[in-house]
Amino acid sequence: MAKTAFSRSKRISIASRLALAPLVIWAILLVLAPNALMVVYSLWNSQDGVISYAMSIGNYIEALTNPVTMSVLLRTILVALGSSILATLIAYPAAWFVVRRLSKRRMLAVLLVIVPLWISFLIRVYSWKLILGERGFINSTLLSLGLIDEPLTFMLYSSFAVFLTLTYVAIPFCFVSSYSALERLPNSLLEASADSGATPIQTFRTVIWPLTRQGAAIGFSLALLLSCGDYLTPAMVGGLNGTMFGSLVITQFGLTNDWPLGAAMSVILLLITAMFLAVLARITRTEGTLD
Amino acid sequence: MLDGTKGINPAVVRFIDVSKRYKDSTSLAVDNVSFEIYQGEFFSILGPSGSGKTSCLRMIAGFEQPTSGQITLENTDLVGVPPHLRNVNTVFQNYALFPHMSIEENVSYPLRMARLGKTEIQQRTAEALLLVDISEFAKRLPHQLSGGQKQRAALARALVGKPKVLLLDEPLGALDLQLRQQMQGKLKDLQREVGITFIYVTHDQGEALSMSDRLAVMSSGRIEQIGTPKDVYFRPKTPFVAGFIGRANLEPGTVEIMQGNIVGRWGQFVFPVAKETPLGPCVFSLRHESVILNGGAGDISAVGVVKDVLFLGDSLEVFVSVNGLTLIAKTHTQTGFDLNIGQDVTVSFKSADVVRVDG
């Protein structure tokens, strides 16, 4: 009796391990291996495009002591953080409005927010070029209204343009994750809070936000990851002043042909983003589960 | 609308011509309802789902606004007052405990929102936890508690702020039968102990009858009858009440004048009725358990034929036809053990137990 039970439980555990196998293989092949390879690359050296396999941290020292690289890194982090925060600040209240105020047209509203994701990233970025450009939507409107005599030139090809575009790109991600968290929040909890004498602001602080901030944080994280490593947006709307760290990295892999240095820079960016995400996960953690 | 059992206490909640129509609905959820609930009583609103009982409760809590009419709490108009400014608390059907707060934090929540002092919060929270006997679970999260424990935590949270009125929305609905019966007794004791007015919404007649001082029976947004449990059970005013609470024989008859007396005629039965009973065709109600077979203290009796016998375990339902009028008698299994279909049987009842229910 005991023996059968034992062998059966063992068989189940083998079965459940087998079921996990695809996940493990996926993680090793697509997550661990490429990153390990990148770390290894970052320790090698490139001499005029020829790679020497002697391990050193020279690339890291080179990247971290280059003032241009460092100032671009700082700007990248500021722009990425800023656009992710702004996108969350726009998307979370919008999701709240859709969940709480719309009933029949809820799905339509969600669809409208997500629709831009169906369009190529490149085209979405390009459209901002059309909006912000010298003969773009804003300038031609202001000109025809007679509010300005010369087209405004500060909007395009700047960190501001990158910031604006990245915010726009991030909003659907922030919206969807905020929406799914807010939608799961039972109405009875909000009623119970009001019933207990909590003002709407108190209810938000003590019930709504603690139970949905993880959703907001997931959206924020996605936005941060997208914007930190992005090189297309700065290339199209950033100009020289809007250069981002991703642009520098891709130069190492292309124009300069110094893969080890590019890898080292990628690792630096990876570690910094990972640190931000770890802090975020820590401060948004909430105990307890919704039934 | 109020019957003769009017309490000595003043009304704490008053509904004056209250109607409620929900958006996108053609019918009224609550249809011109007026009643009073007295200070310190255990008042139940009993009715099937969709009868408007929960709407009434939610309008007192402030989660819904009446479409017309007025609701007052201690003579202050409640219409337009948001829920957080009303001195009433609700025990929700699904408990609605905050999942990210410990039981202690849940119970102290109303006090913390009112920004009371730390020592007062601690003291009153401890008292409330003790009152419902869950002090030992104070540090746990709601999902670590059983249904009955969550229920008591929800009660403690609703009572800790010492509300004028406690609203209970089918609070025992999610518990199993045994726990439900235990909690019925506990709730009644608790209400006596704290002296707060309880308004209890349920579709379970057993709960309403066993716990309430008075109850209102609702159907289709209207109040069918308000009275003490005994009143409503033995003197139902409408066929709905007679049919919804307990089991009753509801059969047509007439009230007429015979030899100068007002009498009821029900099949071959003729019996005296109260002098003020209106004349004409009507429906009479007689509880199943008020029909006595083969002897007993009834003043009216006749011989009938057993048509059917249903075995219900501790009791039998015996269908007896008396000259075309079929009455159902509920009798103890022991008493009716040797009854067979087709057999003659004496049917008797007290004429005072027959109630005219329509009109």
Side-chain angles (χ1 to χ4, degrees):
Chain A
M1 202 50 182
K3 204 175 173 186
T4 3
F6 175 74
S7 63
R8 192 152 102 212
S9 78
K10 197 172 177 187
R11 208 162 49 227
I12 286 168
S13 90
I14 288 170
S16 63
R17 268 181 214 181
L18 275 178
L20 271 177
L23 193 70
V24 173
I25 292 170
W26 181 78
I28 290 173
L29 276 184
L30 296 176
V31 181
L32 273 180
N35 280 303
L37 206 63
M38 188 172 72
V39 172
V40 172
Y41 247 104
S42 73
L43 296 170
W44 290 340
N45 262 295
S46 169
Q47 305 269 301
D48 302 324
V50 182
I51 288 176
S52 81
Y53 302 110
M55 299 273 186
S56 81
I57 54 165
N59 291 319
Y60 289 94
I61 292 167
E62 193 184 334
L64 292 169
T65 52
N66 185 332
V68 176
T69 313
M70 280 304 100
S71 75
V72 171
L73 179 62
L74 183 68
R75 182 163 67 209
T76 302
I77 290 166
L78 289 179
V79 168
L81 276 177
S83 64
S84 306
I85 289 171
L86 184 61
T88 310
L89 286 179
I90 293 170
Y92 184 88
W96 173 256
F97 178 83
V98 171
V99 170
R100 306 298 308 179
R101 293 274 179 271
L102 303 182
S103 48
K104 282 183 200 157
R105 300 199 187 86
R106 207 190 263 192
M107 281 330 288
L108 181 70
V110 173
L111 209 65
L112 284 177
V113 177
I114 301 178
V115 152
L117 292 183
W118 297 354
I119 302 163
S120 147
F121 184 73
L122 207 63
I123 293 180
R124 273 181 285 154
V125 176
Y126 191 80
S127 65
W128 277 95
K129 206 169 172 160
L130 298 180
I131 296 169
L132 300 172
E134 240 170 86
R135 293 174 185 192
F137 174 74
I138 295 177
N139 272 325
S140 52
T141 309
L142 291 177
L143 278 172
S144 66
L145 288 174
L147 290 171
I148 50 171
D149 302 322
E150 299 274 299
L152 302 171
T153 51
F154 68 88
M155 291 188 295
L156 195 58
Y157 304 127
S158 64
S159 282
F160 171 74
V162 176
F163 169 78
L164 209 62
T165 309
L166 288 177
T167 304
Y168 164 75
V169 167
I171 284 175
F173 296 99
C174 296
F175 178 87
V176 168
S177 62
S178 298
Y179 178 87
S180 65
L182 288 165
E183 201 194 23
R184 274 178 43 215
L185 195 66
N187 196 36
S188 63
L189 290 185
L190 308 185
E191 288 181 347
S193 179
D195 195 71
S196 302
T199 63
I201 291 169
Q202 283 177 318
T203 298
F204 178 77
R205 269 197 11 236
T206 55
V207 179
I208 301 169
W209 178 243
L211 290 174
T212 55
R213 64 185 172 204
Q214 273 172 315
I218 289 169
F220 177 83
S221 308
L222 283 172
L224 192 69
L225 290 175
L226 279 175
S227 49
C228 262
D230 189 24
Y231 54 89
L232 257 175
T233 309
M236 291 188 65
V237 299
L240 202 59
N241 296 327
T243 309
M244 298 268 279
F245 202 69
S247 329
L248 295 188
V249 172
I250 202 154
T251 315
Q252 303 310 318
F253 284 92
L255 204 63
T256 324
N257 198 14
D258 189 344
W259 285 31
L261 182 61
M265 289 165 71
S266 303
V267 171
I268 290 169
L269 188 63
L270 184 79
L271 290 178
I272 290 171
T273 22
M275 194 189 70
F276 274 113
L277 295 189
V279 170
L280 190 68
R282 174 124 194 111
I283 58 176
T284 57
R285 217 178 118 227
T286 299
E287 275 193 90
T289 47
L290 290 172
D291 294 328
Chain B
M1 178 117 304
L2 289 171
D3 57 15
T5 58
K6 183 162 174 144
I8 23 166
N9 292 332
V12 54
V13 172
R14 203 175 264 135
F15 273 60
I16 304 159
D17 303 327
V18 173
S19 291
K20 173 70 188 175
R21 186 195 300 279
Y22 286 101
K23 224 170 85 182
D24 305 326
S25 170
T26 49
S27 61
L28 288 168
V30 175
D31 187 358
N32 197 25
V33 156
S34 300
F35 62 96
E36 290 178 340
I37 296 164
Y38 305 124
Q39 181 66 52
E41 76 175 335
F42 196 122
F43 187 88
S44 293
I45 305 178
L46 173 67
S49 65
S51 58
K53 56 190 193 304
T54 298
S55 296
C56 284
L57 202 74
R58 291 174 62 81
M59 285 192 282
I60 305 173
F63 305 139
E64 304 291 348
Q65 296 293 330
T67 310
S68 64
Q70 200 184 24
I71 300 171
T72 64
L73 177 69
E74 294 194 319
N75 296 320
T76 335
D77 192 354
L78 277 184
V79 175
V81 178
H84 69 272
L85 297 178
R86 298 184 181 205
N87 199 356
V88 300
N89 283 126
T90 309
V91 178
F92 292 83
Q93 187 172 10
N94 60 1
Y95 322 126
L97 293 172
F98 305 121
H100 58 301
M101 297 182 200
S102 70
I103 294 307
E104 194 173 30
E105 288 168 330
N106 262 288
V107 173
S108 67
Y109 188 79
L111 308 178
R112 289 188 283 129
M113 292 305 108
R115 300 187 198 284
L116 298 182
K118 212 167 191 170
T119 32
E120 191 183 357
I121 291 178
Q122 274 173 358
Q123 194 190 336
R124 282 174 66 178
T125 306
E127 278 171 19
L129 289 168
L130 201 63
L131 184 70
V132 297
D133 198 22
I134 50 165
S135 304
E136 55 184 304
F137 309 117
K139 301 290 178 207
R140 294 206 195 158
L141 288 172
H143 72 89
Q144 296 165 316
L145 264 58
S146 72
Q149 290 160 350
K150 282 189 214 174
Q151 168 69 73
R152 283 183 277 161
L155 256 172
R157 183 180 65 186
L159 283 169
V160 76
K162 301 200 168 82
K164 301 274 185 234
V165 175
L166 186 73
L167 308 170
L168 303 104
D169 184 10
E170 309 232 14
L172 309 183
L175 303 179
D176 59 58
L177 183 67
Q178 211 183 348
L179 201 55
R180 204 152 67 210
Q181 284 165 345
Q182 273 177 28
M183 283 301 292
Q184 282 179 28
K186 285 227 176 87
L187 269 179
K188 184 68 195 166
D189 291 346
L190 195 65
Q191 194 258 340
R192 280 196 203 104
E193 199 176 330
V194 297
I196 291 172
T197 311
F198 277 32
I199 304 179
Y200 189 97
V201 158
T202 181
H203 65 271
D204 184 310
Q205 46 156 310
E207 282 177 11
L209 292 174
S210 68
M211 289 190 284
S212 320
D213 295 316
R214 289 191 311 142
L215 60 115
V217 184
M218 284 192 80
S219 160
S220 313
R222 291 172 183 275
I223 289 187
E224 296 272 332
Q225 188 170 0
I226 294 185
T228 63
K230 277 184 187 162
D231 230 15
V232 172
Y233 189 83
F234 287 112
R235 317 296 304 170
K237 282 189 175 152
T238 66
F240 177 82
V241 175
F244 188 69
I245 299 179
R247 313 275 321 262
N249 294 292
L250 287 167
E251 297 293 340
T254 53
V255 178
E256 55 193 54
I257 297 179
M258 202 165 87
Q259 295 160 353
N261 296 319
I262 298 179
V263 297
R265 180 185 292 280
W266 202 23
Q268 76 169 68
F269 298 110
V270 176
F271 44 86
V273 294
K275 280 197 184 78
E276 60 272 21
T277 313
L279 299 177
C282 65
V283 171
F284 286 115
S285 161
L286 179 62
R287 293 274 163 216
H288 287 178
E289 65 273 20
S290 299
V291 183
I292 304 150
L293 301 179
N294 288 333
D299 55 336
I300 305 291
S301 66
V303 175
V305 183
V306 176
K307 287 285 180 196
D308 203 358
V309 181
L310 290 184
F311 177 62
L312 302 175
D314 61 336
S315 62
L316 296 175
E317 270 184 12
V318 185
F319 292 64
V320 184
S321 173
V322 184
N323 209 2
L325 175 72
T326 300
L327 294 180
I328 301 168
K330 187 178 177 184
T331 176
H332 283 292
T333 304
Q334 300 294 327
T335 330
F337 210 61
D338 44 3
L339 287 172
N340 295 311
I341 293 170
Q343 181 188 332
D344 280 357
V345 68
T346 311
V347 176
S348 61
F349 54 86
K350 292 180 193 162
S351 54
D353 287 343
V354 182
V355 184
R356 187 195 148 125
V357 290
D358 58 343

